[in-house]
Amino acid sequence: MCGIFGCTSLKEGVSKLIYSSLKRLEYRGYDSVGLATICNGHIFLKKDQGKVEEVERRLSLSALPGRCGIGHTRWATHGAPSKENAHPLTDCEGKVAVAHNGIIENYLELRSKLGDSGHKLRSRTDSEIIAHLIEELLNKGLTLEEAVRQATLTLRGSYAFAVISPLCEDKIVCVRMESPLVIGLSRDYTCLSSDIPALPPDVESIIVMNDGELAVLTPHSIVIRDLESNQQLPLRIVAKESVTCLADRGGFTHYMIKEIFEQPQAALNVINAPRYYIVKLAEELVKSDRVYLIGCGTSYHACLFGSYVLRSIADIDAQPVIASEFSESHVKLGKDVAILAISQSGETADVLQVLRSYVNKDVKLLALTNVMGSSITRLVSSYVGLYAGPEIGVAATKTFIAELLMLTRISIEVARIKGVNVDLISGVESILRSSPKLIERSLTLNEPLAKSLSVYLSLKNSAFFLARGVNIVTALEGALKLKEISYIHAEGYPAGESKHGPIALVEEGFPCIFVCPHDETYYKILGNVMEMKARGAFVISCVEEGDKEVRETSDRIFVLPKIETKLLTPILHVVPLQLLAYYTAIARGYDPDKPRNLAKSVTVP
Ligand code: M6R
């Protein structure tokens, strides 16, 4: 993970711009931060463990002098979060500073070689070797760009990094190899960033770097070369507005709650999304005998939902697989198989790794993502955007709902092309059309109860989220939300399976959250509610308006609008669970936007 940002400018004060961009990149990692600039033939470097603003208060990162610099927000992989492991990292003689995102797989071997030739490595990171490898080549008389290029050719892994040196005061050399990197162009400066949303507002156009490329930036020039051949490549400049829009908290205390309340708008955006690309992707699916839906975390839960809608609405053999578990030993690939990858960021390493291994093979690669221009969009033959707008909170909320709705739209298009389930389609479409209003109502009906229940839940150590059928998706997602931001152990489980083990944990006051729309599983789940109540559980249930039985057996109920097509109930029933997780994190005194040990884009496999 980690976020890197660099800027070379015609004007002084570049550290201020780097600092504010690091704040926007912080969702990629926030256990330590650092900034280095070049001025008067020296590297000025400040870094420490802690979040960006904390470290700024202690060290005044934004006051470093100079017109060229790099910065880094870290999510630790190799080496604990500490000052010495924070980036930028330097070589022995202070000739270069490096900010790196990703993993160098052969770092142990390179580290030991560097040690043998007298280099003193001060951190426990895999990244520091990059600085020393470049130093070694500079000492042989190579230019900075050639030293970076040749050092890179010795590295194995997935990475992106940026290098500055007092030897070339206005130059940044950066490299992309399977970790995201974009270049931003403004009137007065050129910059690089791990993510498009972190680019400063006055960046007018961008270049998305490709894997295997090296770029040399100055305030008024950009040269991109192929790493292997060293050949100069044409610049692929696009307008920034075509790929992004800016995010701010808009008066809300946290991004997460703002994004939860943006869900009606996200739903509207899905409804209004251009039909052309959805049909194109649907046409690919129609040609496939089987589709594997791959994703991680919340996006995997969307895959699970996708397998229900694609099977029920579109008669497609759809199998959800956790991306990091995708292996040919348990999936059956062939000519008429498609992989539909789902990823909010489009940069999740586990997902990209699967796609990369099937590029140019007999498998159709398709994707659903929120970030146009992300790596995933360049690996697949056809993709559809989610149009949810930037999601900054680490916990995915509005993009989850957008994923569910977009999968539903895709299923409808497939069914249309195949001419199947015509009766079902009109009901599904009418719920889609009213989804912004339905989600809005789910929010207003349930926010007060979520707030008050959060006080009770914040005192618990563990909770179950139980459901049957398609709402297992909702239970899994509710549990993931609670555990990732409030650090309460939470298990999402099929309700019918809970008596085969998990029920042993239930004692007086144990929180069990049930998802119980009035679908074909209703009376069975009612039985499961009773079982838990009989053992002293405190039962909170999500029910539809007009519900009687579950209401009577539960201690508290979230009430959701009643819809006819029960297949789509996860879109509404997940809403109170998101609110419950958010307010519980607040009640426990945690920052829901930056949960510990996590990052928004998980770019390490
Ligand atoms: O960007 P992606 O959708 O590929 O991210 C996948 C997961 O890392 C992500 O959903 C993660 O589980 C979230 N923190 C969940 O809220």
Side-chain angles (χ1 to χ4, degrees):
M1 269 91 90
C2 303
I4 58 178
F5 188 87
C7 182
T8 172
S9 174
L10 294 170
K11 294 187 180 157
E12 276 295 322
V14 82
S15 54
K16 276 198 183 55
L17 189 123
I18 300 175
Y19 167 69
S20 47
S21 306
L22 288 179
K23 283 204 289 186
R24 287 190 292 270
L25 270 179
E26 207 177 8
Y27 65 89
R28 296 180 64 87
Y30 35 80
D31 59 45
S32 33
V33 59
L35 207 152
T37 55
I38 304 290
C39 190
N40 297 331
H42 294 286
I43 295 176
F44 288 78
L45 171 62
K46 286 186 176 176
K47 58 182 186 172
D48 206 351
Q49 187 183 347
K51 293 187 177 156
V52 178
E53 280 177 0
E54 284 162 29
V55 177
E56 168 70 1
R57 273 198 296 278
R58 283 202 299 275
L59 302 180
S60 304
L61 302 167
S62 63
L64 286 177
R67 288 189 281 220
C68 177
I70 53 175
H72 187 270
T73 56
R74 181 163 188 251
W75 185 84
T77 55
H78 296 60
S82 69
K83 179 173 180 170
E84 65 182 8
N85 291 334
H87 299 216
L89 293 151
T90 52
D91 59 313
C92 302
E93 300 167 39
K95 283 190 171 156
V96 290
V98 176
H100 162 235
N101 166 37
I103 287 183
I104 310 296
E105 284 164 7
N106 55 339
Y107 89 103
L108 282 174
E109 173 197 328
L110 293 170
R111 193 182 170 99
S112 112
K113 277 193 195 151
L114 286 164
D116 292 347
S117 29
H119 287 265
K120 297 264 174 301
L121 282 91
R122 294 175 293 263
S123 75
R124 305 303 308 158
T125 64
D126 54 340
S127 320
E128 191 185 347
I129 55 145
I130 303 172
H132 293 270
L133 288 170
I134 298 170
E135 175 190 23
E136 187 103 331
L137 293 159
L138 286 173
N139 286 343
K140 288 185 181 158
L142 269 63
T143 61
L144 180 65
E145 36 277 53
E146 189 52 17
V148 171
R149 193 179 78 83
Q150 291 201 17
T152 309
L153 294 177
T154 65
L155 305 177
R156 241 188 14 246
S158 311
Y159 50 82
F161 64 85
V163 185
I164 52 170
S165 167
L167 301 171
C168 330
E169 290 227 348
D170 69 346
K171 211 173 253 185
I172 305 179
V173 184
C174 55
V175 165
R176 172 184 167 135
M177 185 65 79
E178 296 186 5
S179 284
L181 200 61
V182 294
I183 297 168
L185 290 76
S186 161
R187 218 173 38 162
D188 298 327
Y189 62 83
T190 310
C191 62
L192 65 95
S193 168
S194 291
D195 258 349
I196 296 168
L199 289 168
D202 57 345
V203 161
E204 287 151 8
S205 41
I206 66 165
I207 299 170
V208 180
M209 285 181 71
N210 282 335
D211 293 336
E213 288 181 352
L214 172 147
V216 182
L217 316 181
T218 72
H220 35 68
S221 70
I222 298 167
V223 173
I224 298 189
R225 293 183 183 280
D226 178 80
L227 267 166
E228 287 278 346
S229 68
N230 204 19
Q231 264 200 345
Q232 190 168 337
L233 302 168
L235 300 180
R236 305 166 302 267
I237 302 177
V238 291
K240 187 172 155 224
E241 298 72 59
S242 64
V243 284
T244 186
C245 60
L246 289 171
D248 65 54
R249 282 210 304 267
F252 285 88
T253 335
H254 295 99
Y255 281 110
M256 182 177 174
I257 190 70
K258 174 187 175 238
E259 287 157 4
I260 289 175
F261 275 88
E262 278 174 350
Q263 295 185 117
Q265 182 62 46
L268 194 64
N269 295 352
V270 172
I271 299 168
N272 293 333
R275 188 163 169 242
Y276 174 80
Y277 297 103
I278 301 171
V279 171
K280 237 178 114 207
L281 194 132
E283 281 167 355
E284 295 294 332
L285 290 176
V286 172
K287 289 184 228 147
S288 314
D289 287 342
R290 165 173 295 185
V291 51
Y292 290 106
L293 296 142
I294 63 160
C296 306
T298 290
S299 291
Y300 169 70
H301 299 157
C303 292
L304 209 54
F305 177 83
S307 70
Y308 277 92
V309 283
L310 281 168
R311 263 184 263 137
S312 316
I313 304 174
D315 287 355
I316 282 211
D317 177 5
Q319 306 284 336
V321 186
I322 290 175
S324 57
E325 287 300 315
F326 191 93
S327 86
E328 278 188 56
S329 51
H330 83 277
V331 301
K332 201 164 158 265
L333 291 173
K335 211 162 135 283
D336 298 317
V337 167
I339 296 176
L340 173 56
I342 304 182
S343 170
Q344 182 284 131
S345 61
E347 300 293 352
T348 298
D350 290 328
V351 174
L352 298 180
Q353 216 164 43
V354 175
L355 295 177
R356 283 193 183 110
S357 60
Y358 292 104
V359 169
N360 300 329
K361 298 218 175 112
D362 253 356
V363 177
K364 260 179 242 99
L365 301 181
L366 313 168
L368 206 55
T369 183
N370 197 34
V371 184
M372 306 300 186
S374 57
S375 302
I376 209 171
T377 58
R378 284 172 301 130
L379 284 169
V380 298
S381 57
S382 178
Y383 66 89
V384 173
L386 292 171
Y387 305 93
E391 187 176 69
I392 306 295
V394 165
T397 51
K398 63 174 177 173
T399 54
F400 176 62
I401 282 203
E403 285 170 352
L404 303 195
L405 290 165
M406 195 53 95
L407 283 160
T408 309
R409 273 198 72 179
I410 293 168
S411 306
I412 292 173
E413 294 300 346
V414 175
R416 270 217 183 91
I417 299 169
K418 289 170 84 169
V420 297
N421 298 322
V422 184
D423 300 343
L424 184 59
I425 292 178
S426 61
V428 170
E429 277 192 315
S430 111
I431 294 171
L432 272 188
R433 274 194 301 276
S434 39
S435 62
K437 286 241 148 46
L438 292 167
I439 296 167
E440 179 121 43
R441 198 163 146 66
S442 307
L443 285 163
T444 43
L445 278 176
N446 293 298
E447 195 189 17
L449 181 63
K451 256 189 204 162
S452 71
L453 273 176
S454 69
V455 180
Y456 150 82
L457 199 56
S458 69
L459 304 172
K460 300 289 172 184
N461 298 319
S462 200
F464 282 159
F465 287 74
L466 303 169
R468 283 175 177 256
V470 68
N471 276 293
I472 288 172
V473 171
T474 320
L476 290 172
E477 182 58 10
L480 177 60
K481 288 294 88 100
L482 185 70
K483 77 180 101 172
E484 75 175 321
I485 59 169
S486 75
Y487 317 145
I488 293 172
H489 168 250
E491 265 187 77
Y493 225 80
E497 189 66 9
S498 58
K499 57 187 174 296
H500 296 284
I503 201 166
L505 294 177
V506 176
E507 54 188 358
E508 201 56 39
F510 187 96
C512 283
I513 294 121
F514 280 91
V515 187
C516 321
H518 218 295
D519 62 11
E520 70 287 356
T521 70
Y522 183 80
Y523 287 102
K524 284 199 173 127
I525 205 161
L526 183 59
N528 300 129
V529 172
M530 305 281 204
E531 286 158 15
M532 291 302 179
K533 277 302 299 169
R535 285 155 183 87
F538 184 85
V539 171
I540 303 166
S541 299
C542 300
V543 299
E544 287 180 336
E545 282 174 319
D547 180 279
K548 284 206 181 71
E549 287 103 321
V550 171
R551 178 186 285 260
E552 275 165 17
T553 44
S554 305
D555 295 287
R556 297 282 186 284
I557 47 153
F558 288 117
V559 180
L560 284 310
K562 186 171 177 168
I563 53 175
E564 284 316 311
T565 310
K566 305 299 178 192
L567 190 59
L568 302 188
T569 48
I571 292 162
L572 305 181
H573 287 243
V574 75
V575 170
L577 306 189
Q578 296 169 333
L579 290 167
L580 187 61
Y582 172 77
Y583 284 112
T584 305
I586 301 294
R588 284 168 71 98
Y590 298 127
D591 176 355
D593 284 344
K594 293 180 195 129
R596 69 184 178 210
N597 303 337
L598 290 174
K600 185 69 179 162
S601 309
V602 184
T603 56
V604 290

